[in-house]
Amino acid sequence: MDYRKLEARLRTLDRKYSFFVTIARPQRLRDKGKLSRFLVSVKDCICVEGLQSAAGSRILEGYIPPFQSTVVASVLGEGATIIGKTNQDEFGFGTFSVNSGYGIPKNPHDPGRSCGGSSGGAAGLTAALPDDILHIALGQSTGGSISCPASFCGVVGLTPTYGLVSRYGLIDYANSLDKIGPIAKTVKDAALVLSVIAGFDPRDSTSIKREPEDYTKGLDRGVKGLKIGVPKEYLGKGVDPRVAKSVWSGIKKLESLGAEYQEISLPSTKHALSAYYIIACAEASTNLAKFCGMRYGASEPVRDSFNEYFSRVRTKYFGEEAKRRILLGTYARMAGYRDQYYLKAMKVRTMVIQEFKKAFKKFDVLAAPTMPITAPRFSEIEKMSPIHQYTMDILTVAPNLAGIPTLSVPCGRAKGMPVGLHLMGDHLQEEKILRTGKSLEAGK
Ligand code: GLN
């Protein structure tokens, strides 16, 4: 493949859909390694040495990392070609990718609709590239940012167990929740990339010590005898009935392939959303303190006190949503409110983990819709309040609070737009959700 021609194709796509923040300069494609035929796009919040990495924010414009993130080093080590940095909600703050400082990515199935967020550019690009181009996107999730866009764009999104993939070189949103994972056209491609990027990294203190695994191996084992739990709270009111119908048809398909399913209850689900937003914003507000216009990205002439300078730069370069989350997070952490909000949220998080752990004693995987809706129109998003937008994460935040792996697989269409089925597994049981996803994909 000629990279110059490819680059021209990517630029044409980008003009129409705004999938990229930065497209990589021409380079030579390599021919050795497990990913040698693959093009890899990298979400803007994952550092790539020598390429602007701005996490979708104007405050980091011009920041070019002098080092490589571990995941990028791993895919390069297997011969992949990095094609650029994909568009996202600023620092991962959003569900529809409308909070980027670099334009809004548009859904290739209908450019009047959202790609989902926050890894919108990653999923949109994956869906838009023709099948003859092997491409994998590296995305990042804090509360659903791999699954949501995968579901809205009709591609596969794999969010691994917390700690399985190194976060070294990731521009943090909320450290106790952040994960890096692949978005791909097929379950097999996602499993292949996971095999390359998973593994212990001494530079990430939350990295799990374990032997590397080949996740492509067990993919064709099928689902005979597999026990699936369907949490009733995940199919209740608020879920578009057409989405629910498509998800049920996916579950029935798995049943016809030999799996058994049973409805279960996860009662903490209703508290998970509030707990998630308190914890995520609390961590984000401390993480963003370092962006003060001095060390990275945007700066201005200094002519006032530090506090005045700090707020002038941040007022100018942070977007609305980043400011909202700094305020929310700082408030929740304040002495006097900490017990009421932050510590309470941590208790809910423990309850959520315990409920999942109990469910996985009985079930191999849990199945639900990934999102309660299909990709909304931009005109619909404009009418949603911030809180209304947050409620759209209701189905993805609980598994993220628990740090369990999830896989969003396309299971049909509703109103002409793709629907994702969300498979959730116990910690480090990626093999089971991948095998289930592969059966669903094959049974299409
Ligand atoms: N939509 C969620 C949020 O805004 C999740 C984002 C993410 O996973 N990065 O926090």
Side-chain angles (χ1 to χ4, degrees):
M1 197 188 330
D2 176 352
Y3 191 86
R4 268 177 204 287
K5 275 195 200 136
L6 175 76
E7 191 198 352
R9 260 168 102 176
L10 295 178
R11 291 202 186 277
T12 310
L13 257 186
D14 191 47
R15 271 193 290 278
K16 184 164 175 205
Y17 294 104
S18 299
F19 293 141
F20 287 98
V21 174
T22 309
I23 294 177
R25 288 175 299 274
Q27 49 197 310
R28 234 165 43 132
L29 303 182
R30 284 160 325 138
D31 51 15
K32 279 209 185 73
K34 285 186 199 149
L35 298 176
S36 62
R37 288 155 57 240
F38 281 88
L39 305 176
V40 173
S41 65
V42 183
K43 186 174 177 179
D44 204 28
C45 57
I46 302 169
C47 287
V48 177
E49 187 176 358
L51 260 193
Q52 178 181 291
S53 298
S57 179
R58 285 286 167 191
I59 208 160
L60 275 173
E61 190 168 9
Y63 172 61
I64 299 181
F67 70 103
Q68 200 67 283
S69 59
T70 299
V71 283
V72 171
S74 301
V75 296
L76 285 173
E78 287 295 347
T81 300
I82 305 293
I83 53 170
K85 306 302 304 292
T86 50
N87 207 347
Q88 62 166 97
D89 285 299
E90 184 177 18
F91 294 106
F93 303 153
T95 308
F96 304 111
S97 289
V98 294
N99 303 327
S100 165
Y102 301 88
I104 299 174
K106 296 171 191 69
N107 197 309
H109 297 275
D110 174 353
R113 293 176 187 267
S114 163
C115 282
S118 61
S119 315
L125 177 66
T126 307
L129 285 174
D131 286 341
D132 63 316
I133 294 185
L134 289 177
H135 163 262
I136 285 165
L138 290 178
Q140 166 274 352
S141 166
T142 309
S145 282
I146 291 176
S147 294
C148 161
S151 135
F152 283 179
C153 294
V155 292
V156 173
L158 172 62
T159 311
T161 302
Y162 181 80
L164 182 62
V165 174
S166 168
R167 289 184 295 117
Y168 178 76
L170 172 69
I171 301 171
D172 308 305
Y173 167 174
N175 316 45
S176 79
L177 294 153
D178 295 344
K179 301 159 171 186
I180 294 176
I183 294 180
K185 273 234 161 95
T186 65
V187 173
K188 191 171 172 212
D189 287 353
L192 175 66
V193 177
L194 183 67
S195 311
V196 172
I197 61 174
F200 176 66
D201 180 4
R203 287 178 297 187
D204 172 358
S205 61
T206 56
S207 173
I208 302 172
K209 274 210 173 87
R210 68 195 311 268
E211 288 302 307
E213 204 172 308
D214 181 352
Y215 295 94
T216 59
K217 259 193 177 158
L219 280 181
D220 295 316
R221 265 184 222 148
V223 291
K224 218 170 176 45
L226 190 95
K227 293 197 171 57
I228 303 175
V230 183
K232 65 171 199 260
E233 290 80 3
Y234 285 60
L235 280 144
K237 68 172 182 338
V239 176
D240 183 328
R242 288 162 294 194
V243 168
K245 195 173 156 216
S246 170
V247 168
W248 273 119
S249 74
I251 296 170
K252 294 273 156 72
K253 211 173 283 168
L254 290 169
E255 188 186 32
S256 72
L257 295 170
E260 297 160 26
Y261 77 85
Q262 202 180 316
E263 282 193 66
I264 57 158
S265 173
L266 296 173
S268 294
T269 305
K270 57 179 179 295
H271 304 301
L273 192 71
S274 329
Y276 166 80
Y277 270 95
I278 287 169
I279 295 168
C281 291
E283 293 186 29
S285 66
T286 61
N287 279 329
L288 294 185
K290 62 180 167 286
F291 303 118
C292 61
M294 289 194 173
R295 274 174 279 179
Y296 329 85
S299 63
E300 295 266 296
V302 182
R303 51 165 195 266
D304 33 22
S305 73
F306 175 72
N307 280 352
E308 282 160 339
Y309 176 76
F310 182 85
S311 42
R312 184 153 55 84
V313 172
R314 288 160 68 87
T315 304
K316 184 162 166 192
Y317 294 100
F318 275 142
E320 281 298 301
E321 189 56 31
K323 289 176 197 160
R324 183 174 294 115
R325 293 188 187 211
I326 292 170
L327 291 175
L328 275 172
T330 309
Y331 185 82
R333 287 187 292 111
M334 266 162 64
Y337 293 110
R338 201 175 297 149
D339 291 3
Q340 217 173 324
Y341 297 110
Y342 185 71
L343 295 180
K344 206 176 214 172
M346 293 303 274
K347 285 185 189 150
V348 172
R349 186 175 194 176
T350 305
M351 274 163 54
V352 169
I353 297 171
Q354 284 166 349
E355 269 178 28
F356 276 122
K357 282 307 215 190
K358 204 172 137 203
F360 288 121
K361 284 214 172 92
K362 210 163 155 205
F363 299 99
D364 297 299
V365 301
L366 304 181
T370 305
M371 295 299 288
I373 55 170
T374 52
R377 289 201 171 81
F378 292 114
S379 55
E380 292 166 331
I381 299 167
E382 269 166 33
K383 285 188 215 125
M384 291 184 196
S385 67
I387 299 276
H388 188 183
Q389 297 193 18
Y390 298 168
T391 60
M392 293 298 144
D393 298 333
I394 184 83
L395 306 178
T396 54
V397 290
N400 278 277
L401 281 172
I404 59 173
T406 64
L407 182 72
S408 181
V409 197
C411 66
R413 283 182 178 251
K415 295 189 294 183
M417 292 302 285
V419 175
L421 187 148
H422 214 204
L423 295 164
M424 298 168 254
D426 199 358
H427 294 118
L428 298 172
Q429 298 299 307
E430 275 77 2
E431 183 270 329
K432 278 186 188 163
I433 53 173
L434 285 165
R435 163 156 67 93
T436 313
K438 180 78 194 318
S439 299
L440 194 66
E441 194 178 58
K444 258 196 283 210

